[in-house]
Amino acid sequence: MPSTPLNLHLLAWTGLWFSLFNNLQSIAAQLIAAVVVLGSYFGAQYVRVWKPRREAAKSMAV
């Protein structure tokens, strides 16, 4: 698989801990993974916390 090198200075431990290397594909993959993780967290918060609170507030107002 080809890679597109970037002119960034990343510390060696970022590759070991986060699989973040000095190429575009690595950084794009990590950004996509972060969006998926944060999206699933906020989606779960909405379903478990925010939506029930909103529905409870609606039923109390009626």
Side-chain angles (χ1 to χ4, degrees), residues 21-62:
F21 300 103
N22 193 15
N23 61 48
L24 180 63
Q25 290 78 5
S26 169
I27 293 173
Q30 293 301 327
L31 288 174
I32 291 169
V35 167
V36 168
V37 168
L38 291 173
S40 65
Y41 171 77
F42 285 112
Q45 282 294 102
Y46 174 76
V47 170
R48 292 184 62 211
V49 178
W50 299 333
K51 187 176 178 182
R53 283 184 186 168
R54 186 178 300 158
E55 290 174 355
K58 281 183 184 177
S59 67
M60 295 296 263
V62 173

Side-chain angles (χ1 to χ4, degrees), residues 4-17:
T4 308
L6 298 174
N7 191 16
L8 296 175
H9 175 69
L10 297 174
L11 299 174
W13 62 267
T14 60
L16 180 65
W17 283 84

